[in-house]
Amino acid sequence: MRGRPSIGRYLNRTLTVWRPQTAEDGHGGQSTVLVEVGGVRAKVDQPSPTERMVAASTSSRHSHDVYLLPSADVRRGDELRGTDALGTDQVFRVQAVVQPSTPVYSKALVELIQTEGQR
């Protein structure tokens, strides 16, 4: 009997996970800051034409798919940060995380956050 196929061999990047956390500001209010919570192995892809069409029809900001191990601790609202093959820094905001019925991978639907003047 064969085991489940592993996505691990396709995960060719390491991304750092940053998670929003709320802290007291010392003046009776709260502020939200992003805190680094770890790293994950990942593969970053463009969404399929169908996914792009659905995203456009729902005004979604889904610009990329990030494939992860099914055990990766990545949540909606997290930021994934890393460098692409050309050495460009990238920041992705997680819109949603889904798994197939047999959890052989997790897929984060993300939005690439670009700074002014970035390609």
Side-chain angles (χ1 to χ4, degrees):
M1 184 161 163
R2 302 180 89 178
R4 280 190 230 155
S6 174
I7 190 172
R9 66 180 171 201
Y10 300 107
L11 305 180
N12 57 4
R13 293 177 63 177
T14 299
L15 299 174
T16 306
V17 180
W18 291 76
R19 183 159 297 145
Q21 290 190 350
T22 304
E24 300 298 323
D25 66 6
H27 301 286
Q30 296 179 332
S31 62
T32 301
V33 295
L34 290 172
V35 177
E36 183 178 345
V37 294
V40 292
R41 291 175 49 211
K43 180 177 189 297
V44 178
D45 276 342
Q46 297 286 326
S48 71
T50 301
E51 288 174 320
R52 278 185 247 163
M53 188 173 64
V54 169
S57 71
T58 61
S59 300
S60 170
R61 296 181 176 139
H62 175 199
S63 66
H64 289 76
D65 292 329
V66 177
Y67 291 90
L68 310 153
L69 291 173
S71 59
D73 184 14
V74 173
R75 305 172 190 175
R76 178 185 167 103
D78 286 352
E79 282 189 2
L80 303 176
R81 300 179 185 179
T83 306
D84 69 9
L86 300 174
T88 304
D89 290 335
Q90 293 182 310
V91 177
F92 301 98
R93 183 168 294 121
V94 179
Q95 306 296 317
V97 180
V98 296
Q99 284 186 336
S101 57
T102 302
V104 293
Y105 64 86
S106 288
K107 181 167 76 169
L109 310 177
V110 302
E111 173 190 15
L112 176 63
I113 307 299
Q114 293 181 310
T115 59
E116 190 77 27
Q118 194 177 30
R119 291 183 199 183

